[in-house]
Amino acid sequence: MKDFLSIFICPKCKSVVDKSDNSIYCTNTSCKAIYPIFSDVPVLINENNSIFSIEDFATSTETTFSMSIERNSKLGMWVKKLIPSISHNLVAEKNYSYLLQQLTNCDDTSFDMKKVLIIGGGIAGKGMDKFLASKKIEIIETDVSYGERTQIICDCHDLPFADKTFDLVIAQAVLEHVIDPVRCVAEIHRVLNANGMVYAETPFMQQVHMRQYDFTRYTHLGHRRLFRYFTETKSGCVAGPGTALAWSYSYFIMSFTSNRSIKNILKIFAYSTSFLFKYFDYLLIHKRGGYDAASAFFFMGQKSNIPIHDKELLKSFRGI
């Protein structure tokens, strides 16, 4: 386990913490919370304000990613390898290249390495490969499930990090899966330094995924307002109407059964007959009508203390 103790705080009371052999504990005598470390992964969950408990991770109870149908059957794993994807992220790789450039655009070889927090980072996100491989930034990957890249288990509603710790926070395909996105964005704002940046991708037109851990969708303006305490750098569609159509068609086909084996068979048929729709996004993603029918949006912005006024928000409408 990396030594994150200098940036950790108690997620429950926001006090300083310390470390013992197999746990992290709050030094506030009024709190005295104890957070265990399992297989070198600290579990910093405020159980009073989370749908997860520390016991979930002590017993390796299924949470988010492990709840997916594909991971619960051999047929599901075979299906995942066999069928083409119905989604195509057209912007992530370019956006991550831009963010990396912003973080490392410094001629001084002695500058402090920039800290990046990835929320929902148990697995590598779409288009992140070069970003994650960079040796010029320090990346901390958190999640609410044990993943191949999970360094810290924590809930975005109560991030266990001190104020103004990070230069960039990433939440790719995360905010649809949290109970209270507004609170989570407030926490992101808190842990960013004065000039810190945020990058988020969140769906607009997608069917339920990750089972019971799926709660919210956003239009382009709804997503912008969620980040109203940030000055916009860039925003736009992640995936367009073609992807939205492929999702809708596929889930229509799969809705005819609740049997997992049959559903996987229908999924092969649905994905194999609809994946070509996503390629229309190359044509439609930047069109005004594409904003009205997009599958997902991204927002990139810089921390601010002055929120965008709602009248100004309306002026940024890009649809028809």
Side-chain angles (χ1 to χ4, degrees):
M1 184 184 78
K2 286 187 177 181
D3 185 11
F4 300 119
L5 198 61
S6 62
I7 60 173
F8 277 159
I9 60 171
C10 174
K12 188 176 296 184
C13 72
K14 301 296 190 280
S15 298
V16 175
V17 296
D18 207 342
K19 182 178 178 292
S20 64
D21 290 340
N22 57 2
S23 68
I24 292 168
Y25 61 91
C26 180
T27 60
N28 184 342
T29 56
S30 299
C31 179
K32 296 182 179 180
I34 298 175
Y35 305 100
I37 301 171
F38 302 118
S39 301
D40 283 338
V41 178
V43 178
L44 290 143
I45 295 284
N46 176 9
E47 294 182 299
N48 296 335
N49 195 41
S50 178
I51 57 176
F52 305 103
S53 68
I54 291 174
E55 184 66 17
D56 291 336
F57 304 100
T59 59
S60 297
T61 300
E62 293 178 338
T63 54
T64 52
F65 278 109
S66 58
M67 293 297 295
S68 65
I69 292 173
E70 289 83 357
R71 296 193 178 200
N72 281 327
S73 70
K74 291 182 179 179
L75 175 61
M77 292 295 291
W78 179 73
V79 168
K80 189 175 181 180
K81 293 179 180 179
L82 178 68
I83 60 178
S85 171
I86 58 173
S87 300
H88 186 38
N89 191 318
L90 299 181
V91 300
E93 187 172 359
K94 183 183 295 185
N95 285 342
Y96 285 124
S97 294
Y98 174 85
L99 289 166
L100 185 61
Q101 182 181 23
Q102 295 302 302
L103 291 172
T104 59
N105 187 20
C106 181
D107 295 329
D108 182 1
T109 57
S110 65
F111 76 99
D112 292 335
M113 188 173 286
K114 303 297 185 181
K115 285 186 173 63
V116 178
L117 172 64
I118 300 180
I119 300 169
I123 61 173
K126 300 289 185 181
M128 293 184 72
D129 292 348
K130 291 181 181 178
F131 186 88
L132 293 173
S134 175
K135 303 299 184 183
K136 298 180 179 180
I137 54 177
E138 180 183 358
I139 298 175
I140 298 173
E141 294 164 290
T142 71
D143 213 324
V144 287
S145 65
Y146 290 117
E148 59 190 21
R149 302 188 64 90
T150 305
Q151 295 172 293
I152 302 163
I153 296 287
C154 67
D155 190 322
C156 186
H157 296 84
D158 291 287
L159 291 172
F161 304 105
D163 294 1
K164 301 179 181 179
T165 295
F166 297 99
D167 300 284
L168 169 66
V169 176
I170 295 170
Q172 185 181 33
V174 169
L175 294 175
E176 71 269 33
H177 300 301
V178 302
I179 292 288
D180 188 348
V182 174
R183 179 179 175 88
C184 291
V185 172
E187 278 289 275
I188 290 171
H189 190 276
R190 179 183 65 80
V191 301
L192 280 169
N193 65 33
N195 298 311
M197 297 185 69
V198 66
Y199 180 70
E201 294 179 5
T202 313
F204 169 40
M205 291 192 186
Q206 289 181 7
Q207 279 64 31
V208 171
H209 52 279
M210 209 174 281
R211 297 182 67 180
Q212 68 265 43
Y213 300 110
D214 193 351
F215 306 102
T216 309
R217 299 292 183 270
Y218 285 100
T219 63
H220 177 247
L221 289 192
H223 202 225
R224 174 66 186 96
R225 193 176 191 280
L226 179 64
F227 293 95
R228 59 190 177 277
Y229 279 94
F230 290 84
T231 301
E232 181 175 320
T233 304
K234 295 181 181 182
S235 71
C237 299
V238 170
T243 297
L245 178 59
W247 272 71
S248 183
Y249 165 83
S250 297
Y251 274 71
F252 166 73
I253 296 296
M254 292 187 291
S255 68
F256 281 93
T257 184
S258 58
N259 180 281
R260 287 186 176 180
S261 296
I262 297 175
K263 190 170 186 176
N264 277 319
I265 293 170
L266 292 179
K267 185 174 183 178
I268 294 172
F269 171 79
Y271 277 36
S272 298
T273 55
S274 66
F275 76 96
L276 290 175
F277 289 140
K278 69 185 179 185
Y279 294 109
F280 283 99
D281 288 349
Y282 285 100
L283 175 66
L284 301 173
I285 195 171
H286 297 299
K287 292 185 178 295
R288 292 179 64 186
Y291 277 80
D292 293 334
S295 177
F297 293 106
F298 77 89
F299 177 83
M300 183 190 304
Q302 191 169 40
K303 182 176 178 177
S304 172
N305 292 320
I306 303 173
I308 183 174
H309 194 283
D310 286 340
K311 289 183 178 179
E312 290 299 314
L313 176 75
L314 297 182
K315 293 178 183 178
S316 60
F317 178 65
R318 299 179 192 174
I320 297 174

